[in-house]
Amino acid sequence: MDIPLTRGQATQDFAIQDTEQTLRAQASGEGEKARTFLVDQAEKISAATTRFREAFGPTDMTKAERGRVVVDALRDLRDQGRAGINALYREANEMGGDGLSLDTAGISDVAKRVLVEADVPDGVKNVVRQEMARYGLIGKNPVTAEDGLTTVTLTDGRKVQFYGDPEPLTVGNAERFRKAISAQYPVDGPRKLSQGIKGAVDDAVESAVEAAARNGVDGPVSQKLREARRAVVAHKETFAAKDVVQKLVDWKKGTRTDNVLPENAIREVLSGEVSNLRRIKAVLLTRPTPTSKGAWRAIQAEGIGGIIDKAYTANSNLGGGPAATISGAKLNSEIVRFGIPKLKTLLDEPDFGRLMSLRRVIGEATIPISGTTNPSGTAFKMMRFLAPMATKFANIPLAGPAIDVVSGLVKQAKATAEANRTLAGMTSYDTGKAAQEAVSATGRRSQPAADATTQDDQASRFVEALVEAARDGRLAAAVLASGAQWRNGDR
């Protein structure tokens, strides 16, 4: 993954992390190198997350662009399914059989109501009347002239004309009739009353297919009709089940406006429980096409992008001013909020494993063990300022245990201030040692809060000893004595 870790991060050792954070706070060459390492680490984390996101497609696409890809892919699949069903109907019709004609009573009833509705434009009524005459739903005595124009006579004497020969309405030509009516929707006023004819046609076709399959149309016709019926049922269950799929593919009633706006489409897929995501995944990938596979990648890209984008945080502690960095704590929170079951549905197993590895490394790099902090208290600063004088105070009469504490503190400060060694553990750490060191570090993590306050407590006692010595007059004598030694060359 090419993300370097310090010794403290890799082993998750409390004491080592505390020392590394202290080094980064120092105004020294080693401290600057430690801070530079942290900046480099943050850049590599950002690059790794970008590479992970790019595996799912362009990272610069907007929500609306990705949503449009998904909606268009679903509609393409719906249209392909409908085209396949119509092909089965036509094949069955060409094979012949008594069960292929439609019961047109329901279609005629709905269409005649459209013809008398005042809200339906005259142009729409003329088309409906013409198509009804073409398929024998109204009119008598059709006569086709030599120019191909057919005329039928209504009971009130009016004439209706259309081009071509009249034909009975069957399973095979029902789709042409339905399309002719559907083409009128955009001009059919606000109520779109002609839409009812489409539903009546679909019902008549399904009834004819069911009846023919059930009543035993012989031979290959029966097989083709049963196949068509199964296709109709599957298509309805996929695209007309009143679920997230239908919500995305439908238009707003009576319009060509998306029922769900493209910028909200993927949010609809990812919202709620995992069921919506599973449903869309099944539709897009059961029989995938290049378009449907691209749509699934768009959903993956949007889901992963949302998690990672929300994990960024402004960090002013890396040097060079504020910078946006990935926060392991925020990344963990976003993954939990999204949900592991949903993530396992969104990603295939290798991608899920890569995300979990990225999560672990970012967490180790950016989440300090509880209690490790950069020392900044007043007592700590006083200790660092006065520690070089501690050996000169060691001979102060009656100083007692307080000065003994200081002597031990100086030794501890020198031991933990080995900057080069700490820096090497940060910038040149062999991660192969991490597993071994992590075992020995486990016991040291049990009391982090106590370790974090030790230096401040000891420094406070040191300052108290100095105040007490000054009050008793011992401090001035010690300073004078040390000054004399300095002048005599005992430096």
Side-chain angles (χ1 to χ4, degrees):
M1 196 168 291
D2 196 30
I3 298 176
L5 295 176
T6 70
R7 183 184 178 199
Q9 292 168 347
T11 62
Q12 290 292 285
D13 185 284
F14 174 89
I16 298 173
Q17 281 201 16
D18 199 49
T19 302
E20 289 174 352
Q21 289 199 28
T22 300
L23 177 60
R24 288 199 296 268
Q26 289 183 3
S28 64
E30 291 79 7
E32 182 61 29
K33 290 177 182 178
R35 290 188 290 275
T36 299
F37 172 85
L38 204 63
V39 172
D40 179 64
Q41 183 186 68
E43 290 175 350
K44 284 183 167 60
I45 288 174
S46 180
T49 56
T50 298
R51 287 195 300 272
F52 183 73
R53 292 181 64 174
E54 287 174 344
F56 303 101
T59 59
D60 57 353
M61 290 182 70
T62 65
K63 291 179 184 293
E65 289 171 336
R66 290 193 180 115
R68 174 52 63 198
V69 168
V70 173
V71 172
D72 287 350
L74 290 171
R75 286 178 177 156
D76 283 347
L77 291 175
R78 179 194 60 184
D79 293 345
Q80 289 176 27
R82 172 56 68 181
I85 291 170
N86 291 337
L88 292 173
Y89 288 163
R90 287 193 297 272
E91 290 176 29
N93 189 66
E94 290 167 1
M95 292 177 183
D98 295 337
L100 298 178
S101 61
L102 299 186
D103 180 354
T104 60
I107 301 172
S108 295
D109 183 59
V110 174
K112 288 175 181 177
R113 277 183 283 167
V114 170
L115 295 178
V116 299
E117 284 285 352
D119 290 346
V120 177
D122 289 340
V124 175
K125 291 180 179 180
N126 289 338
V127 171
V128 172
R129 188 177 291 111
Q130 189 178 59
E131 294 303 312
M132 291 178 71
R134 183 191 308 279
Y135 295 108
L137 304 182
I138 57 173
K140 296 179 180 179
N141 306 320
V143 176
T144 302
E146 59 185 358
D147 61 359
L149 193 65
T150 298
T151 303
V152 299
T153 304
L154 303 183
T155 55
D156 62 0
R158 286 177 295 164
K159 307 291 185 180
V160 178
Q161 293 181 314
F162 54 88
Y163 185 79
D165 295 323
E167 52 186 307
L169 193 58
T170 67
V171 166
N173 60 21
E175 179 65 14
R176 293 201 305 272
F177 177 50
R178 191 170 72 84
K179 283 184 177 180
I181 302 301
S182 296
Q184 307 309 306
Y185 294 166
V187 293
D188 190 11
R191 296 174 62 188
K192 313 297 180 189
L193 295 173
S194 60
Q195 289 184 101
I197 301 175
K198 169 186 171 293
V201 172
D202 290 343
D203 290 344
V205 168
E206 290 182 32
S207 295
V209 172
E210 284 182 355
R214 185 174 59 248
N215 295 332
V217 176
D218 293 332
V221 176
S222 177
Q223 180 179 348
K224 188 63 65 176
L225 288 173
R226 284 195 293 270
E227 185 181 349
R229 178 58 189 158
R230 287 193 297 269
V232 169
V233 172
H235 194 269
K236 276 195 166 186
E237 289 177 348
T238 301
F239 297 103
K242 298 188 183 301
D243 61 3
V244 64
V245 177
Q246 183 175 3
K247 193 171 184 179
L248 291 176
V249 300
D250 275 358
W251 308 99
K252 288 186 182 295
K253 190 172 182 179
T255 73
R256 296 290 285 182
T257 302
D258 292 306
N259 190 42
V260 177
L261 295 177
E263 55 265 35
N264 298 327
I266 297 182
R267 184 177 66 185
E268 195 74 37
V269 174
L270 298 176
S271 64
E273 298 299 324
V274 71
S275 56
N276 280 357
L277 185 61
R278 286 174 178 160
R279 187 80 175 89
I280 293 294
K281 183 177 183 178
V283 172
L284 291 175
L285 300 184
T286 296
R287 293 184 179 178
T289 66
T291 301
S292 68
K293 286 190 285 189
W296 180 245
R297 298 304 269 181
I299 293 172
Q300 291 178 310
E302 191 64 29
I304 291 300
I307 291 173
I308 292 176
D309 285 344
K310 291 175 183 176
Y312 274 94
T313 185
N315 192 332
S316 59
N317 297 321
L318 300 182
T325 60
I326 295 285
S327 162
K330 286 189 175 182
L331 181 60
N332 284 341
S333 296
E334 288 304 316
I335 287 176
V336 170
R337 184 194 63 78
F338 190 88
I340 293 298
K342 196 179 292 184
L343 264 179
K344 287 184 174 180
T345 301
L346 182 70
L347 303 177
D348 58 27
E349 189 171 342
D351 287 334
F352 180 80
R354 282 190 284 273
L355 177 61
M356 292 300 103
S357 296
L358 194 63
R359 174 193 191 185
R360 176 184 55 78
V361 173
I362 293 174
E364 290 174 348
T366 64
I367 305 176
I369 298 173
S370 177
T372 55
T373 58
N374 290 327
S376 59
T378 301
F380 180 83
K381 294 177 181 177
M382 287 290 293
M383 176 196 73
R384 293 193 59 186
F385 176 74
L386 295 171
M389 300 174 62
T391 54
K392 298 184 183 300
F393 299 147
N395 296 323
I396 297 176
L398 306 177
I403 299 303
D404 291 339
V405 169
V406 172
S407 179
L409 184 61
V410 171
K411 293 178 182 178
Q412 180 184 357
K414 289 181 179 179
T416 57
E418 294 176 355
N420 287 328
R421 187 171 121 191
T422 302
L423 183 63
M426 295 181 66
T427 60
S428 306
Y429 182 63
D430 180 4
T431 55
K433 301 176 182 178
Q436 297 176 350
E437 296 191 14
V439 174
S440 61
T442 302
R444 292 196 293 271
R445 295 182 207 152
S446 59
Q447 296 178 329
D451 292 341
T453 59
T454 299
Q455 289 181 331
D456 275 357
D457 289 344
Q458 292 177 343
S460 296
R461 290 195 294 272
F462 173 48
V463 173
E464 291 171 1
L466 290 177
V467 172
E468 185 65 27
R471 183 181 297 117
D472 294 343
R474 292 180 282 114
L475 181 60
V479 171
L480 289 174
S482 64
Q485 292 174 358
W486 186 84
R487 287 191 299 273
N488 292 329
D490 185 12
R491 301 190 278 272

